[in-house]
Amino acid sequence: MAELTLPSFERKPGEHAQTTARITRIRFVNPENSYAIMDAVTRRKIEFTMVGTLASFKVDDEVRVKGVWVESKYGIQLKVESCEIAMPTSSVGLARFLSSQLTGIGLRMAERIIEKFGADTVNVLDNEPDRLLEVPGISKKKLETIRKEWREKQGNRQLFVYLQGHGLSYDLSARLIGLYGQKIVPILTQQPYLLSKEVNGIGFKRADQIASRMGIAPDAPMRIEAGIDYALYDAECNEGHCFLPLSVLVEAAARLLQVNTAAVASCVDSLVERRSIRTDAGASGETLVYRAFMWNLENAVARDIVRMVCASPSDAPTEGDMRDVRLAETRLGIELADTQRQAVLTGLRSKFMVITGGPGTGKTTLVKVFVEVANAREIPIFLAAPTGRAAKRMNETTGHEAKTIHRLLEYAYMDDAHGSFQRNQDNPLPAGIYVIDESSMIDLALMRSLMRALPDSANVVFVGDVDQLPSVGAGMVLRDMIMSDCLPVIRLKTVFRQAEQSMIVQNAHRINAGEYPIVPTAAQMADPKCEFYLFSAATPEHAEHLIEQLVCEKLPARYGIDPMNEIQVLCPMRGNTGGVEHLNQVLQARLNPDGMPLDRGFQGFRIGDRVMQLKNDYENDVYNGDIGKIVQTVGNKTIVDFDGRMVEVKRQNLDNLALAYACTVHKSQGSEYPAVVCAFLRSQSFMLQRNLIYTALTRARRVAVFITDQYTLRAAIGNDRPSARYTRLAERIRAYLDDEK
């Protein structure tokens, strides 16, 4: 490995280097992950820039650093592989080192210490700190401070040696020491799998690697139990399951851990005894296994639903109810179908009900009528939806304020940067009618928070399309409420005349029924009012070329729509050619070629880019799925325009944004766009299923384009596998209702 002595213009990317250097400038620090960019100078006066997990170091620290040269847009930099404090050899360097490491020791005091002890200074600090009292100006109180800080610094240096000696990378060692300090050693030796639950970026597999390096045996009960917990957690996060049948769990955990199934089965029994996991008996007699958290969640939701249903018996609609609904129809200039009118009357008299239906069946109209009747009766009515964009649509279509469920429940951050809902059973929501739209997106955890905050005096109406994609989180709440067969449910099936003429609506219902969509003829496609197109793509590269042409040229020219703000590209997956990430780069290059890159090129963003919020930001009232435009940078903040609201995004929070020229179908839920272009490619067929195709199509208001091929689309429409999601909310609702009778 080469010593870092070459002039900067001779450094070669890919070559390793090591040196001792003094940090001269800190350019950037991310407090969340300790990533930093720092300038340094070697003892031979060669200046360079290094990047890595360096936040614990300060200006004037002398460090021993190893790394590899990498080329960036800012020049050649040293990507740090290891870095540790180096004891300076000169008296000047040692004085600077002591003053930077010890609180209350300035450069003058450090010089006096070195003048007193000379080359023996470090030995005195390590082994005879009491001798520091011989130095004028050091009191017993200051001595204790010096002793404590020096011991802590020395301990951290020893920890680095220990952790890296067990194969942990420099970056990971720095993070763990920063989080746990000296406690990291017993954690690693006694409960290394705790890291997967407490440290961002460390999942089970990485914790398992660490445990192996710490000497944990492959068949250790600790490891197998952690693997069982992870298999259940992974099923929740990636498949939406609330539980796994015992046989499925044992096979999954054994495959994950590479151990025999008998070892897994014996540890399942142990976890059940300690109530870390819970079990139920399935209808076929098989044991169903839950994480304790999910078991409690599912039971709590069922109990709260039954609590509301039984809070007071539902009364039959009165003549007054019918009169008020008719008056609302007159004021709105509409005429409801019998099923729609029955839905409103049921909602006015029932404590709890569900309305479901596909596109064009009048769900939005019903929400308007609920608002009109409630306002006429001076009954408080509250509108909410799982996402910011869905709430905004409710507001636009009804003229009544609508909130995200999180805002309705008054989510607030606590001191530790985590948050909680301020509305709950101890501080319930006010009485009134609650209409919750896009309910198919509600997962079990959010449903629990909503139900515990609803008082017995409220009426709640859940509105949604049960045939759309289920929630990203675990559970199928809307489907299970309908499948329980014991709650008031109105199914809207009639497609109204105006919607019936829409090829988007027609094809959505055909796809939902498992039928191939109607493909327009050449004459229909020539009509500038054509709403649906299907183009075949031979390869992912061909698909990207078609999408680029459609978004940047064809659709804007034919429909007069803005490609930056009114066209959304939808894909089933993020990676590979034809996926979200690559398409975002292609479209960014065409639609925003001259945008100035953000400082240090975070995420490849440019001024003028279309971006999507990935996490709820309650402080700024910006929510997962909201789309904005980067307008400028001010200092270390980026200004994003979210529908006319200028939001300041701190540098460290830019990871919560993503380019949004293209997004996944899941991310589009709850949103509508004037035009959508959907890529369903054969290379993505393992991701394709009927409700994904259906959900993507129903995001379009004016025009929808499918880029696919006949074989792939037919196979996707025929794939109705999401029914295999493991949940028991419907059974629990029935059981708790039976107990109430």
Side-chain angles (χ1 to χ4, degrees), residues 440-458:
S440 63
M441 299 176 66
I442 300 175
D443 62 21
L444 202 61
L446 185 57
M447 185 66 170
R448 168 59 173 148
S449 297
L450 174 62
M451 292 305 303
R452 72 195 300 220
L454 285 169
D456 293 348
S457 54

Side-chain angles (χ1 to χ4, degrees), residues 117-133:
F117 300 112
D120 203 33
T121 297
V122 173
N123 179 60
V124 168
L125 287 164
D126 284 343
N127 304 307
E128 302 177 274
D130 287 346
R131 290 188 60 191
L132 293 174
L133 292 172

Side-chain angles (χ1 to χ4, degrees), residues 464-497:
D465 185 347
V466 73
D467 296 313
Q468 285 190 21
L469 285 171
S471 57
V472 174
M476 294 187 77
V477 173
L478 182 64
R479 186 207 67 169
D480 284 351
M481 291 193 297
I482 295 169
M483 294 284 289
S484 70
D485 288 328
C486 54
L487 303 175
V489 175
I490 300 292
R491 295 177 181 268
L492 304 176
K493 298 180 179 179
T494 303
V495 178
F496 291 94
R497 186 178 305 165

Side-chain angles (χ1 to χ4, degrees), residues 248-316:
V248 175
L249 171 62
V250 168
E251 288 291 341
R255 187 166 54 251
L256 169 73
L257 298 166
Q258 294 295 294
V259 298
N260 61 62
T261 55
V264 174
S266 65
C267 285
V268 168
D269 294 337
S270 176
L271 287 169
V272 171
E273 288 176 10
R274 300 204 304 271
R275 298 179 77 83
S276 296
I277 60 176
R278 303 294 297 270
T279 60
D280 276 341
S284 62
E286 181 161 24
T287 300
L288 313 178
V289 187
Y290 290 78
R291 287 198 308 143
F293 170 78
M294 190 58 64
W295 188 89
N296 291 329
L297 206 59
E298 199 172 67
N299 276 279
V301 169
R303 280 196 303 268
D304 275 326
I305 289 173
V306 171
R307 166 182 63 82
M308 287 206 66
V309 170
C310 298
S312 62
S314 298
D315 299 325

